[in-house]
């Protein structure tokens, strides 16, 4: 098929985004090209703006247009409770839940032999600095309930053991809105052992 | 949640692409921002390039970086057989099938009272010009098997009736790889009536 190389390049680039395959990338490219003024230009503008302003927070690893990020700079947030997450996406998810009023530490990965991510690849500087200064009361390990997440949580727990900080992890159990019969045994076992008296 | 307005704008713009919702737009934005050099910049470059070069072909309505488009300009393609499609996406799909060696006419829509698309909104100039010049032997109506597609096909058939051109439509029947028990009655009825002796 004779498709112009410019369109082809656009499709290829779009197809590399998570959640888009070759098929949906074609649809997206077409939608952009058919509406240059209302879709293509505004998206390009938003990308340009983001590329120019967004940076990684040197304190916690969050992405923001100010440095340090608005979470680290917010005096209302409790700097003595630090929530450790794998990625900025996890940070966003927890912020949507709105339960954590402390600060964050974005590791940028979890320990994994497969992907070759070792302790030296984790962004821990900010956290360890605050812990060593004695400014931290609690570290919440909000890592995924995967082998890598559990390994990382265990390693961090040992690393934090010498300091007088409470190390906690997220509760496991039945997801809200979840039906029991579709849940795996691991989740149900965790839910049983973390049951609460009414 | 305090998310920077630049990231928010990027997510909003990405979420307007077909196939992406708010959730996948967040993932895509994050993927772009976390890899500015390998994802954000190349995609921006591809969009810029496309925005500068891609135009609608004045002959057939296709999108291409040259004008007339490479299909209209190709002397190898049979200008006496014109395939009428609703959108550039349909043209791409037919080109992938590789069975049509003639030219195209992209209508840019189908007749629809709901969306307010009337005969004057259809891009028919190129087709009618060629038909009036007597340069066209066959017009293939490759429109969707929907009410709007069928209405448009019927209307076009009447419009082309005064001219000595064969008007055809795509065959209906069982899709390749399709199981019979999941097909609707309409498709099966069409497949029965278009059965072929072996």
């Amino acid at each position: 098929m004779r498709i112009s190389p410019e369109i082809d390049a656009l499709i290829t680039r779009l197809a590399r985004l998570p959640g888009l395959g070759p098929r949906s990338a074609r649809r997206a490219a077409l939608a952009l090209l058919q509406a240059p003024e209302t879709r293509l230009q505004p998206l390009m503008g938003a990308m340009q703006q983001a590329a120019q302003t967004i940076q990684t927070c040197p304190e916690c690893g969050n992405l923001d247009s100010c440095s340090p990020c608005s979470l680290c700079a917010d005096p209302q947030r409790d700097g003595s409770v630090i929530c450790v997450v794998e990625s900025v996406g996890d940070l966003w998810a927890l912020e949507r839940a709105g339960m954590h009023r402390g600060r964050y530490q974005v590791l940028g990965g979890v320990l994994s032999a497969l992907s070759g991510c070792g302790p030296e690849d984790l962004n821990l500087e900010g956290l360890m600095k605050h812990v060593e200064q004695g400014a931290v009361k609690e570290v919440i390990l909000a890592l995924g309930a995967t082998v890598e997440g559990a390994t990382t949580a265990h390693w961090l727990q040992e690393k934090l053991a010498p300091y007088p900080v409470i190390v906690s992890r997220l509760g496991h159990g039945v997801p809200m809105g979840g039906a029991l019969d579709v849940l795996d045994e691991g989740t149900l076992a965790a839910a049983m052992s973390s049951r609460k008296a009414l």
Side-chain angles (χ1 to χ4, degrees), chain A:
Chain A
M1 184 199 166
R2 284 155 149 256
I3 193 170
S4 98
E6 289 84 1
I7 299 182
D8 213 36
L10 180 59
I11 294 174
T12 310
R13 287 296 166 188
L14 282 170
R16 289 195 195 158
L17 290 179
L20 283 175
R23 232 192 160 83
S24 39
R26 273 200 299 269
R27 275 181 65 210
L30 208 49
L32 288 172
L33 292 171
Q34 284 175 333
E37 252 104 89
T38 58
R39 286 193 202 240
L40 187 57
Q41 299 294 353
L43 178 54
M44 264 169 58
M47 287 170 72
Q48 196 109 44
Q49 195 68 22
Q52 280 165 2
T53 58
I54 301 301
Q55 48 200 310
T56 300
C57 173
E59 285 288 317
C60 73
N62 188 13
L63 291 168
D64 207 330
S65 48
C66 47
S67 175
C69 78
S70 59
L71 294 174
C72 285
D74 185 352
Q76 305 259 15
R77 299 197 73 123
D78 184 357
S80 71
V81 183
I82 298 187
C83 181
V84 177
V85 292
E86 179 182 344
S87 68
V88 177
D90 295 346
L91 184 157
W92 290 356
L94 284 166
E95 278 298 286
R96 282 197 297 280
M99 278 294 285
H100 178 55
R101 300 303 303 154
R103 302 240 163 94
Y104 289 92
Q105 180 72 31
V106 181
L107 296 182
V110 280
L111 297 180
S112 163
L114 259 181
S115 64
C117 178
E120 67 285 358
D121 301 313
L122 301 180
N123 170 36
L124 276 169
E125 237 176 273
L127 174 71
M128 293 317 291
K129 190 184 74 189
H130 292 303
V131 167
E132 278 157 16
Q133 287 167 351
V136 181
K137 281 190 296 202
E138 182 177 359
V139 174
I140 307 170
L141 302 178
L143 300 167
T146 58
V147 175
E148 287 85 4
T151 310
T152 311
H154 188 79
W155 178 82
L156 269 170
Q157 197 183 348
E158 297 218 323
K159 194 172 171 73
L160 292 167
Y163 304 94
V165 289
I166 301 167
V167 181
S168 60
R169 65 154 175 79
L170 295 184
H172 293 311
V174 181
M176 301 308 283
L180 289 196
D181 58 352
V182 295
L183 286 177
D184 62 302
E185 311 84 59
T187 303
L188 285 172
M192 277 302 272
S193 67
S194 68
R195 68 189 179 278
K196 286 192 177 175
L198 296 176

